[in-house]
Amino acid sequence: MNSRPLLKCAGIFVILIIFSAVLSMVEYKVSERQSYRDQATQTVAKGWSHPQLIAGPVLRLSFERKYIDRKFDKELKQYVEIQKTRRWSEYRLFSNVMINASLEMQERYIGIFNVPVYTAKIALSAAHLANDLRDTTHLINAELLISIKDIRGLANQPLLAWNDQNIAFKPGTAQQLLGSYIEAPIPLTLLKSDANLKMDLNLRGVKKIGFVPTAQNLSATLTAPWAHPSFIGNYLPSKRTVNESGFSSNWTVNSFASSIERVLKACTKEPQQCANTLQNNQFGAHLGNSVDVYQMTDRALKYGFMFIALTFVVFALLELQRRYSIHPIQYGFVAAALAIFYLLVISLSEHIEFKIAYAIGSAVCTFLICSYLRVALGSTRVALSLSAAFVSLYTMMYAILQSEDYAFLMGTLLVFALLAGIMFATRNINWQQLTLQNQEQNQGDEV
């Protein structure tokens, strides 16, 4: 019995296993480069500011009540009266809060990695209704608080305009709301009448900005010259406009939807738990790319095994038709060229645009395979036909990678089209006759 076909199949199977391992190594390399990019973002955030989250403005009211406590004195053998003082704090929401935030974008570089940073110009306004403070008998102190996740990013000295009176903010000294905060002391006489409040913040941050809806009724507008935002949090924008020049988004959230009053009641007792709850009850925007180079390369890797398997199927069909004889080593060289494509794309895309890197990688790999097969098969026509097929596959894969919403559908249709093409191309092959011919050939070799 001729064992050469079995040895050849075993060799091709080993190459497939090796190629799978190579793809895993390339995928690890993509993850490694992505982690380097994330480290660059963290480095910039340490020097500039971390992603920002803003909660407020809210009122923190401090109360004090004196009372008499009767206690039995064992020495005097009688009840005595002791005067005690009870102190507590509460948070109160403003009736209407409006936030108007506009981002100015810049880029910072760490090595070859660029990190988008922003300076947010935030205009806050609120309405104070004196009727909301019905019981002020025991009120001794009042502060207006604005909590900022990374207060290092505050780039101005904000002032609170309470009607016509300006009040300076000062840094908070305890953990409140999100942790760090600024506060403005409010004279108690100002709380007795209705008022309009205004304040401006210049806030630096990276990648993401969010807001906590701490108001009975909150309206927020966020604009930025960034074409690929992702809206995050528990509340999607009621209106949004996204185009190549940037985006504009609007939110409207009330206290019934946010349950913020219930959350704030627990904030004075458990500050850390309060901070975690508020962070999970936010809305905002993430300033990322629609599909970054590492994500696109990772998507392309998902089709890597299909590429090599399809190539091997085509080679097998050429051999079955007894036109060419292809050695397993030649299978391996072609597989190696297909694997190098991914390394070329990711290394080039870190320095130039992804579409240009993809075009260069697919072009040089196709040229390499075409030049090699022209000599290995001794046929320019077949080499050019296979190269045209590779160009078509790379083009279709690029279209899939660029799609955000239809990538899975397009990938499924591509696999189906390839399977249909192979079935159509082999519809006239008599597989049973080929098997019998192989058996007769093996018997002749044994004789």
Side-chain angles (χ1 to χ4, degrees), residues 36-327:
Y36 290 158
R37 192 268 312 273
D38 295 339
Q39 290 175 13
T41 301
Q42 292 299 319
T43 301
V44 171
K46 288 179 181 178
W48 181 260
S49 183
H50 287 89
Q52 290 290 8
L53 180 63
I54 301 98
V58 296
L59 276 176
R60 184 181 64 187
L61 305 178
S62 299
F63 297 87
E64 179 180 280
R65 183 172 67 89
K66 298 183 183 298
Y67 65 97
I68 302 298
D69 185 25
R70 297 182 74 246
K71 184 178 180 182
F72 184 77
D73 192 322
K74 294 182 179 180
E75 294 182 359
L76 299 177
K77 297 182 180 181
Q78 64 180 9
Y79 283 94
V80 294
E81 293 183 348
I82 302 175
Q83 187 177 27
K84 292 187 176 182
T85 303
R86 177 175 176 260
R87 296 182 178 88
W88 72 96
S89 298
E90 295 179 5
Y91 290 105
R92 298 291 178 89
L93 301 175
F94 289 102
S95 57
N96 294 289
V97 173
M98 296 185 64
I99 301 174
N100 191 347
S102 177
L103 306 186
E104 295 180 356
M105 303 301 302
Q106 302 178 43
E107 288 186 342
R108 295 291 185 268
Y109 286 86
I110 298 294
I112 63 173
F113 301 102
N114 68 310
V115 180
V117 302
Y118 63 81
T119 299
K121 296 185 178 297
I122 305 172
L124 293 167
S125 62
H128 166 68
L129 300 179
N131 290 335
D132 290 343
L133 296 178
R134 296 181 179 88
D135 183 13
T136 59
T137 305
H138 305 290
L139 181 62
I140 60 171
N141 198 19
E143 298 101 4
L144 184 144
L145 270 60
I146 299 177
S147 187
I148 301 170
K149 183 63 178 176
D150 189 353
I151 205 166
R152 296 180 305 117
L154 190 59
N156 68 323
Q157 179 65 45
L159 285 176
L160 168 64
W162 187 289
N163 283 342
D164 296 330
Q165 184 171 344
N166 292 330
I167 304 173
F169 281 94
K170 61 181 181 180
T173 57
Q175 180 173 344
Q176 302 286 341
L177 300 178
L178 298 173
S180 56
Y181 63 97
I182 56 176
E183 62 181 10
I186 309 298
L188 299 183
T189 55
L190 296 180
L191 298 177
K192 296 179 180 180
S193 59
D194 295 348
N196 293 318
L197 294 67
K198 293 182 180 179
M199 63 218 79
D200 295 323
L201 302 176
N202 292 341
L203 203 59
R204 296 192 301 263
V206 301
K207 287 285 189 178
K208 184 175 68 173
I209 183 170
F211 302 91
V212 179
T214 51
Q216 294 178 4
N217 294 284
L218 181 138
S219 298
T221 299
L222 178 63
T223 60
W226 194 261
H228 304 290
S230 297
F231 298 106
I232 58 175
N234 295 345
Y235 315 94
L236 291 177
S238 54
K239 295 180 181 179
R240 64 176 184 176
T241 302
V242 182
N243 51 45
E244 290 301 320
S245 61
F247 73 91
S248 176
S249 52
N250 302 88
W251 288 265
T252 301
V253 185
N254 57 53
S255 58
F256 295 101
S258 63
S259 301
I260 190 63
E261 291 180 326
R262 175 179 56 81
V263 173
L264 290 180
K265 284 183 179 180
C267 285
T268 55
K269 299 178 181 179
E270 299 178 351
Q272 186 58 51
Q273 183 177 350
C274 171
N276 296 333
T277 304
L278 291 176
Q279 289 185 55
N280 294 328
N281 189 31
Q282 62 170 291
F283 63 87
H286 182 273
L287 308 173
N289 295 319
S290 57
V291 183
D292 64 28
V293 295
Y294 302 108
Q295 186 177 0
M296 283 193 270
T297 306
D298 185 65
R299 283 186 185 178
L301 282 167
K302 308 301 182 186
Y303 298 93
F305 191 83
M306 182 192 71
F307 263 52
I308 189 60
L310 181 63
T311 303
F312 284 9
V313 168
V314 173
F315 286 180
L317 291 176
L318 292 175
E319 291 198 74
L320 284 173
Q321 295 177 1
R322 298 186 180 280
R323 296 181 179 178
Y324 305 97
S325 178
I326 306 174
H327 195 273

